[in-house]
Amino acid sequence: MNPSTKIVRINVNVRLTTSIDDLPTDILSSEILVRLPAKCIGVYRTVSKQWLSLLSSKKFILLHCRHISTSYKQMFFSVALFQSSVFPVTFDPSDYLPKTLIPLPTNTYWYDILVLTSFDGLVCLSFRETQKMILWNPLTHATKFVSSTLSRGRFKQKTDAVGLYVSPSNENMLLHAKRRNGSMKLYKYSSRCDSWRKMGFVDERKYHNYKMSWSNGTFFQGVVYFIVKVDAAGMGNYLFGFHVDSDELKSKPKPATTKHDGDGSLVVVRNQLHMFVANSLPNWSLHLWRMDGENWTKIWVRQNILPPSLFGRTITYVVSTGKFLVVSRSGTVFQIDTTKNGIECYHPVFSESSIQGAVYTETLMSPDF
């Protein structure tokens, strides 16, 4: 053997593969576990005490919620005759609707519940009899009453409007617009501090009267948007936005709709704000608009559409990644497929009297955050 030759010995017992235990905790939580559905996180909490602590931390829950709410499938929470349930927003309408029954919070009856709004896995409900509001997670069943003894946090149907949002400090907030005695006052509730703060009056007095119908809020890029429908004939719709960084309510540009338009409905699709508008005259049409900066672009329209139940101020909830769920106040649920034409784009799903609900994403978000 040449004296300069080196002999290299390989230890065949050395483990050359990497297991999940070898990954740094921050990589494991921020790159892998945040991508799992919320129901799976509950299972993985039982792996070890370390995982239980990691997956129960406020930091992870917020990180998981922000990721899952923009990337995972959305659900529809509904309350109807004698039951409450959840089902996926997008599904094959020719198949059996995959419903899951869930119990309502506080052992209340279905007819006493008003479903107001939702965001990041939390649903805001109120009770018809007491007007008290609660924040509720339908997946974890965590519940928090937000009403105070000073009449704060009490929702009056047909006059009030609410909107859930996240503050610049990453805190869950609830905005409440109250119309009383010819004026409108704004309040915001902090989940973290469990307290209400009065924001003042809305300056535009012409939007205070009871002929105005305010939608509940839709949060998008630092603004909570409200559609204001004027009951007087020929007045059309208005759009307002509450800027969460400055606590100001401002008039916003709206689509170039007509005086014959019915209710508009706001929905965030692929991180862009959209508005559905139903037009009853002259040719019974449905329009979809997208907000581009301060302007609106019409991206979809269907003329002479059926069924008529889409009109008469019936569109209440819409959401999509290409298909839209429409729940009418008459209790009829449709799926709209914007890739198809004519009557083929409308698929009846089911019909239940007195149905109401909200679109949400299953998260681990706590009402206390």
Side-chain angles (χ1 to χ4, degrees):
M1 180 181 295
N2 191 325
S4 63
T5 302
K6 294 182 180 180
I7 298 177
V8 180
R9 292 182 174 85
I10 300 177
N11 186 354
V12 295
N13 296 319
V14 174
R15 181 164 57 94
L16 299 179
T17 59
T18 300
S19 71
I20 196 170
D21 294 330
D22 299 317
L23 295 176
T25 302
D26 58 337
I27 298 297
L28 180 65
S29 61
S30 63
E31 299 295 335
I32 298 177
L33 296 178
V34 294
R35 303 175 186 275
L36 297 177
K39 288 182 178 179
C40 294
I41 299 298
V43 176
Y44 283 109
R45 283 174 173 173
T46 63
V47 171
S48 66
K49 290 183 179 179
Q50 180 184 9
W51 278 41
L52 175 62
S53 176
L54 172 66
L55 303 182
S56 301
S57 67
K58 182 176 180 179
K59 178 181 178 181
F60 175 80
I61 290 177
L62 291 174
L63 186 65
H64 177 268
C65 179
R66 301 296 176 254
H67 178 85
I68 216 74
S69 61
T70 58
S71 62
Y72 208 67
K73 64 181 181 180
Q74 293 178 301
M75 308 292 289
F76 186 80
F77 162 71
S78 69
V79 177
L81 286 173
F82 305 108
Q83 68 176 13
S84 58
S85 60
V86 296
F87 57 86
V89 167
T90 55
F91 54 89
D92 186 347
S94 64
D95 293 339
Y96 176 76
L97 182 65
K99 273 189 180 182
T100 302
L101 298 180
I102 59 173
L104 286 170
T106 68
N107 296 318
T108 190
Y109 293 104
W110 66 270
Y111 53 77
D112 192 35
I113 288 287
L114 283 174
V115 183
L116 304 181
T117 188
S118 67
F119 184 72
D120 275 357
L122 296 179
V123 179
C124 182
L125 307 174
S126 74
F127 301 98
R128 297 178 190 270
E129 184 176 354
T130 64
Q131 299 182 343
K132 291 183 177 181
M133 290 192 291
I134 65 172
L135 296 179
W136 178 53
N137 186 320
L139 178 64
T140 66
H141 304 292
T143 305
K144 184 175 186 178
F145 280 85
V146 302
S147 302
S148 70
T149 56
L150 299 175
S151 76
R152 303 286 171 84
R154 294 179 184 267
F155 183 86
K156 189 173 182 180
Q157 194 176 10
K158 297 182 179 181
T159 63
D160 293 4
V162 297
L164 281 167
Y165 66 95
V166 176
S167 71
S169 60
N170 214 25
E171 180 180 3
N172 287 326
M173 307 291 292
L174 177 65
L175 180 67
H176 185 191
K178 300 176 64 174
R179 282 184 290 172
R180 302 289 189 274
N181 302 319
S183 66
M184 174 172 281
K185 300 176 183 178
L186 294 178
Y187 300 86
K188 67 176 183 179
Y189 172 80
S190 166
S191 292
R192 190 176 301 167
C193 300
D194 191 24
S195 63
W196 285 92
R197 177 186 169 192
K198 185 177 179 180
M199 306 304 300
F201 294 85
V202 178
D203 293 333
E204 297 285 348
R205 292 190 61 84
K206 63 181 179 179
Y207 302 114
H208 298 173
N209 67 69
Y210 292 98
K211 293 183 179 180
M212 307 287 184
S213 301
W214 284 66
S215 71
N216 286 317
T218 300
F219 181 57
F220 176 70
Q221 293 186 351
V223 179
V224 183
Y225 290 90
F226 297 91
I227 295 177
V228 179
K229 169 67 179 179
V230 184
D231 290 341
M235 292 297 291
N237 295 329
Y238 296 92
L239 185 66
F240 285 89
F242 177 80
H243 294 252
V244 304
D245 56 350
S246 61
D247 289 340
E248 294 180 288
L249 185 70
K250 301 179 181 179
S251 177
K252 308 294 288 186
K254 68 181 184 70
T257 55
T258 72
K259 63 182 181 180
H260 300 294
D261 292 329
D263 276 0
S265 299
L266 293 170
V267 57
V268 178
V269 182
R270 298 189 183 98
N271 202 32
Q272 289 183 302
L273 186 65
H274 293 67
M275 183 188 293
F276 257 116
V277 179
N279 190 315
S280 58
L281 294 172
N283 48 20
W284 302 92
S285 58
L286 190 64
H287 304 252
L288 178 61
W289 298 77
R290 182 185 65 226
M291 188 173 71
D292 297 317
E294 290 295 313
N295 300 313
W296 289 86
T297 304
K298 185 184 293 187
I299 62 174
W300 183 82
V301 61
R302 289 294 180 271
Q303 306 284 352
N304 301 313
I305 69 167
L306 294 172
S309 60
L310 290 175
F311 299 98
R313 298 172 51 188
T314 58
I315 297 179
T316 53
Y317 311 102
V318 284
V319 70
S320 180
T321 53
K323 297 179 180 179
F324 291 75
L325 188 75
V326 177
V327 182
S328 74
R329 293 186 186 137
S330 63
T332 305
V333 181
F334 290 89
Q335 188 181 88
I336 297 180
D337 188 344
T338 59
T339 65
K340 297 181 179 180
N341 297 317
I343 195 62
E344 293 182 355
C345 67
Y346 305 103
H347 304 282
V349 179
F350 68 93
S351 179
E352 288 190 48
S353 177
S354 305
I355 189 173
Q356 55 170 324
V359 172
Y360 80 106
T361 303
E362 292 182 332
T363 73
L364 301 169
M365 180 61 69
S366 168
D368 294 318
F369 287 177

PDB file of all heavy atoms in Angstrom, residues 4 63 65 79 81 182 240 307 342 351:
ATOM      1  N   SER A   4       1.257   7.134   1.282  1.00  0.00           N
ATOM      2  CA  SER A   4       0.486   8.387   1.263  1.00  0.00           C
ATOM      3  C   SER A   4      -1.025   8.173   1.177  1.00  0.00           C
ATOM      4  O   SER A   4      -1.797   9.107   1.252  1.00  0.00           O
ATOM      5  CB  SER A   4       0.935   9.262   0.082  1.00  0.00           C
ATOM      6  OG  SER A   4       0.666   8.591  -1.150  1.00  0.00           O
ATOM      7  N   LEU A  63     -50.572  33.381  15.122  1.00  0.00           N
ATOM      8  CA  LEU A  63     -49.867  33.067  13.878  1.00  0.00           C
ATOM      9  C   LEU A  63     -50.661  32.079  13.041  1.00  0.00           C
ATOM     10  O   LEU A  63     -50.807  32.234  11.824  1.00  0.00           O
ATOM     11  CB  LEU A  63     -48.480  32.505  14.205  1.00  0.00           C
ATOM     12  CG  LEU A  63     -47.547  32.246  13.006  1.00  0.00           C
ATOM     13  CD1 LEU A  63     -47.190  33.559  12.333  1.00  0.00           C
ATOM     14  CD2 LEU A  63     -46.274  31.532  13.480  1.00  0.00           C
ATOM     15  N   CYS A  65     -53.896  31.544  13.163  1.00  0.00           N
ATOM     16  CA  CYS A  65     -55.130  32.171  12.701  1.00  0.00           C
ATOM     17  C   CYS A  65     -54.884  33.035  11.482  1.00  0.00           C
ATOM     18  O   CYS A  65     -55.633  32.975  10.501  1.00  0.00           O
ATOM     19  CB  CYS A  65     -55.730  33.004  13.833  1.00  0.00           C
ATOM     20  SG  CYS A  65     -57.250  33.846  13.372  1.00  0.00           S
ATOM     21  N   VAL A  79     -78.063  29.169  11.579  1.00  0.00           N
ATOM     22  CA  VAL A  79     -79.075  28.928  12.605  1.00  0.00           C
ATOM     23  C   VAL A  79     -80.421  28.920  11.895  1.00  0.00           C
ATOM     24  O   VAL A  79     -80.769  29.874  11.197  1.00  0.00           O
ATOM     25  CB  VAL A  79     -79.056  30.015  13.691  1.00  0.00           C
ATOM     26  CG1 VAL A  79     -80.161  29.771  14.704  1.00  0.00           C
ATOM     27  CG2 VAL A  79     -77.708  30.062  14.387  1.00  0.00           C
ATOM     28  N   LEU A  81     -84.535  26.553  11.907  1.00  0.00           N
ATOM     29  CA  LEU A  81     -85.549  25.959  12.773  1.00  0.00           C
ATOM     30  C   LEU A  81     -84.972  24.830  13.620  1.00  0.00           C
ATOM     31  O   LEU A  81     -84.547  23.794  13.092  1.00  0.00           O
ATOM     32  CB  LEU A  81     -86.711  25.432  11.931  1.00  0.00           C
ATOM     33  CG  LEU A  81     -87.645  26.489  11.339  1.00  0.00           C
ATOM     34  CD1 LEU A  81     -88.632  25.840  10.389  1.00  0.00           C
ATOM     35  CD2 LEU A  81     -88.377  27.236  12.438  1.00  0.00           C
ATOM     36  N   GLY A 182     -82.238  60.079  16.793  1.00  0.00           N
ATOM     37  CA  GLY A 182     -81.832  60.912  15.676  1.00  0.00           C
ATOM     38  C   GLY A 182     -80.348  61.148  15.546  1.00  0.00           C
ATOM     39  O   GLY A 182     -79.911  61.993  14.757  1.00  0.00           O
ATOM     40  N   PHE A 240     -69.462  53.390   3.583  1.00  0.00           N
ATOM     41  CA  PHE A 240     -68.665  54.058   4.603  1.00  0.00           C
ATOM     42  C   PHE A 240     -67.561  53.126   5.065  1.00  0.00           C
ATOM     43  O   PHE A 240     -67.695  51.894   5.018  1.00  0.00           O
ATOM     44  CB  PHE A 240     -69.528  54.463   5.804  1.00  0.00           C
ATOM     45  CG  PHE A 240     -70.409  55.646   5.551  1.00  0.00           C
ATOM     46  CD1 PHE A 240     -71.683  55.487   5.040  1.00  0.00           C
ATOM     47  CD2 PHE A 240     -69.955  56.928   5.821  1.00  0.00           C
ATOM     48  CE1 PHE A 240     -72.489  56.578   4.801  1.00  0.00           C
ATOM     49  CE2 PHE A 240     -70.756  58.029   5.585  1.00  0.00           C
ATOM     50  CZ  PHE A 240     -72.032  57.858   5.073  1.00  0.00           C
ATOM     51  N   PRO A 307     -83.183  32.698  -9.928  1.00  0.00           N
ATOM     52  CA  PRO A 307     -84.580  32.871  -9.535  1.00  0.00           C
ATOM     53  C   PRO A 307     -84.834  34.263  -8.966  1.00  0.00           C
ATOM     54  O   PRO A 307     -83.917  34.930  -8.511  1.00  0.00           O
ATOM     55  CB  PRO A 307     -84.758  31.809  -8.443  1.00  0.00           C
ATOM     56  CG  PRO A 307     -83.419  31.736  -7.824  1.00  0.00           C
ATOM     57  CD  PRO A 307     -82.418  31.959  -8.920  1.00  0.00           C
ATOM     58  N   GLY A 342     -75.780  32.024 -17.889  1.00  0.00           N
ATOM     59  CA  GLY A 342     -77.215  31.798 -17.825  1.00  0.00           C
ATOM     60  C   GLY A 342     -77.643  31.078 -16.562  1.00  0.00           C
ATOM     61  O   GLY A 342     -77.055  31.213 -15.503  1.00  0.00           O
ATOM     62  N   SER A 351     -83.309  24.744   1.293  1.00  0.00           N
ATOM     63  CA  SER A 351     -84.177  25.823   1.756  1.00  0.00           C
ATOM     64  C   SER A 351     -84.642  25.511   3.168  1.00  0.00           C
ATOM     65  O   SER A 351     -85.118  24.402   3.444  1.00  0.00           O
ATOM     66  CB  SER A 351     -85.389  25.975   0.825  1.00  0.00           C
ATOM     67  OG  SER A 351     -86.242  27.004   1.269  1.00  0.00           O
TER      68      SER A 351
END
